Each structure stands twice: as structure tokens, then as C-alpha cells.
Amino acid sequence: MGDDVIEKALGLLCDRYIFPAKAAEAATLIRAKRDAGAYDGLDETALGERLTEVLQGICADKHLRVRPRGEDVREALTEEQIVAAYEQQLRRNNHGIARVERLEGNVGYLDVRQIPDASVGGRAIAAAMELVSHTAALIVDLRKNRGGAPNGVIFWTSYFFPDDQTHLNDIYDGESGRTRQFWSLAHLPGERYLDRPVYLLTSDVTFSAGEELCYNLQAQGRATLVGATTRGGAHPTEYFPLSPTMEITVPVARSVNPVTGTNWEGTGVVPDVEVPAEDAFAYAYRKALDHVLATGTSTALLDEARAAVAGLPSA
């Protein structure tokens, strides 16, 4: 069983990894270790950890992993079954949207822990944005966001731009050799969120598509990032079952930001304001309330904002 899993993993690695030379180097080392008995007698968790250690040691790619499959996808072996399991998981997790709230002082707050594929989660994203559409400033909490779908990132970030004229990202696909451009969308359900400050909260957990949302908006000067440097995974990835209980995640493409000419792979996204992740919300909320106090005209709203500032920890 272990040898079958290893060979299938290495075959997928060499066929699909975005950097073929690195894949070949890693495969050679893993086969040598296997032949020397390094993986004999390991359970699935330990085998996955040992293989991942070699893969990441050579490729330095945090998306590249061999691991046990989650209980909810163990019967999903075909592409159709995997997609169905993914969509079910998204629905169960409310499409990654853990919380939507209007905070005191008319500041919007979104706790987003996964970026759904727009074809599945677009209605949920639109609903969340509708609920904060009339706030004076917005905080998007990505401190627990572990990734998602590139087209979901484009759908969500399009709400912060006026039209379809903003070039947000490019993705180079290794198998086809083609580069796809991603631009802001011409049409969105509901209102766009324009001309108001947006704060993104980050941590060292923030990963993959969550990082892309941060990187795209930061590169365009459309949001202020507050918190800690993110984890550093920029390569779009596919999941391949090796058995009903094991899988490999293989980066099959790479992002190229049209503003910076590069991405956040290995470095993470560095916030504009570096504070401990646990302090990021208080900092961003204070800044949002300062904006409300500087621009608000309603006496009731200004009183509400002042009371909210008074309740925050000392700066």
C-alpha cells in the first residue's frame, strides 16, 4: 500500500507540478529513501509527513503536501465526486463566511475563513456585501482564512472597484503553458463598495486565496493590511486522491501580479501596519472609527462612534 501511494504521488508530482525540474529532483530523492527503507512500517499520517518534508525541503512550496484525506471526502475518488464533496463542504461552512456584522459607529465587519468558488458561493458573497453596503468603513478579517478559489477572490475584490478596468492578477498554467488574465468584473449583484476605507486583518495562518485577496488589494492601493505577515502560498493547486484515505496537493500554476510582476510565494504578504494578529482588530476598528468621526455628519452616528472609541483598549 505504501509503495503504491508513493509511486502514484510521484507520478502526479512529475506530471503536474509547476516546476518540473524540482519535481524530478524530489522524486529521485524520495525513491532513494524508499529503497533504503525510510518509509517502511509508517502509518498514513507519518508517511504523509515524511514525504511532505522531502517535497517542501526541495521545492519550498507550502501547497505541496501528501496527507490523509478528510473523513468527509473519503468516498470521493472521481473528479465529479470531489467537486460534489467540495460544494457540500462549502454549504456546510456557510461558504466560508463566519460572521457579518454592523459594528457600533457604522463600521462593517466580515469574518471570512474560506474563499468559495464564485459559481458556488457567489450568492453568499453578494449577500454579505449587501449587508455591509451602507457602512462607512469595512473590516475584512482574514486571520483564519486558509484559502479557496481564485475566481472567488476576483468576484469578491471586484466589489471594491468601480468597473471592469482593473487588472487584478494573472495565472500561468503549467500544463497548457498559457497565462490567464483576471480583471475586475463589469457586473455584480448589488452595490459596489467604493470611496470608503477597507481594512484587511492578517495573521500567519492567512494562506493561499486569502493571501491573494490581500495582495491584490494592497497592490492596487485599495485596502490597508493590518496584522502579521501571511503564510506564503501563491501557487494555485489541485487535489489528487492517491487512495480512498490519502491525497496529494500539487501546485499546477503560479500567480503573477500585474503591478508587482511577482507574487507572495515563500515570503507571505507583508501588512501595511504590522501588529500582533490578536491586536489587529482593535487597531483597524479604531482607524475606521477615526474615519467616521472625521467624515460623519449625523449627531447620533458621531455619538455612537465616540462611545465605541471609548470602549477600545488604549492605543
Side-chain angles (χ1 to χ4, degrees), residues 138-298:
L138 180 62
I139 298 170
V140 184
D141 193 341
L142 299 165
R143 290 176 294 179
K144 295 181 180 179
N145 192 295
R146 296 179 181 271
N151 66 25
V153 174
I154 299 306
F155 187 85
W156 210 315
T157 54
S158 292
Y159 277 93
F160 304 113
F161 298 97
D163 49 37
D164 60 354
Q165 298 301 303
T166 304
H167 188 181
L168 293 168
N169 192 30
D170 290 336
I171 293 181
Y172 170 78
D173 179 73
E175 187 173 30
S176 68
R178 296 176 181 172
T179 297
R180 179 181 175 184
Q181 294 185 347
F182 290 84
W183 292 67
S184 54
L185 301 177
H187 172 75
L188 294 167
E191 297 183 35
R192 295 176 189 260
Y193 200 91
L194 307 175
D195 305 319
R196 285 161 285 173
V198 177
Y199 301 90
L200 307 181
L201 310 186
T202 63
S203 75
D204 60 2
V205 173
T206 311
F207 190 54
S208 194
E211 294 177 285
E212 186 195 334
L213 195 152
C214 293
Y215 198 87
N216 291 355
L217 291 178
Q218 185 184 58
Q220 296 291 337
R222 183 59 189 91
T224 300
L225 275 58
V226 181
T229 299
T230 63
R231 190 173 165 193
H235 297 150
T237 300
E238 291 188 18
Y239 297 75
F240 301 99
L242 303 172
S243 73
T245 55
M246 292 287 286
E247 68 182 12
I248 183 171
T249 61
V250 182
V252 298
R254 57 185 173 87
S255 296
V256 183
N257 184 275
V259 175
T260 67
T262 184
N263 60 46
W264 59 96
E265 180 66 38
T267 63
V269 185
V270 179
D272 301 295
V273 181
E274 279 201 84
V275 298
E278 59 271 22
D279 297 334
F281 171 77
Y283 181 96
Y285 189 23
R286 182 179 295 277
K287 289 296 183 183
L289 291 169
D290 287 345
H291 171 76
V292 173
L293 292 171
T295 60
T297 57
S298 162

Side-chain angles (χ1 to χ4, degrees), residues 13 17 22 26-27 29-30 48-67 207 231-233 249 251 265:
L13 174 72
Y17 187 46
K22 289 290 187 182
L29 180 55
I30 286 173
E49 290 173 351
R50 293 278 187 89
L51 295 176
T52 298
E53 182 180 359
V54 175
L55 293 174
Q56 295 190 356
I58 290 176
C59 303
D61 193 321
K62 293 178 181 177
H63 274 110
L64 185 55
R65 292 167 288 182
V66 178
R67 61 187 180 185
F207 190 54
R231 190 173 165 193
T249 61
E265 180 66 38

Side-chain angles (χ1 to χ4, degrees), residues 49-128:
E49 290 173 351
R50 293 278 187 89
L51 295 176
T52 298
E53 182 180 359
V54 175
L55 293 174
Q56 295 190 356
I58 290 176
C59 303
D61 193 321
K62 293 178 181 177
H63 274 110
L64 185 55
R65 292 167 288 182
V66 178
R67 61 187 180 185
R69 304 182 79 200
E71 293 285 347
D72 55 345
V73 297
R74 291 199 168 183
E75 300 303 316
L77 295 175
T78 67
E79 183 175 355
E80 182 179 20
Q81 290 170 334
I82 291 169
V83 169
Y86 166 72
E87 292 180 357
Q88 184 180 41
Q89 180 263 332
L90 280 178
R91 289 190 291 270
R92 188 167 55 247
N93 293 337
N94 199 35
H95 299 91
I97 303 168
R99 183 175 159 198
V100 183
E101 187 174 354
R102 176 201 180 274
L103 304 175
E104 293 295 303
N106 198 31
V107 174
Y109 175 80
L110 302 174
D111 183 354
V112 181
R113 302 189 181 185
Q114 185 176 2
I115 310 291
D117 187 291
S119 67
V120 182
R123 289 175 58 195
I125 294 171

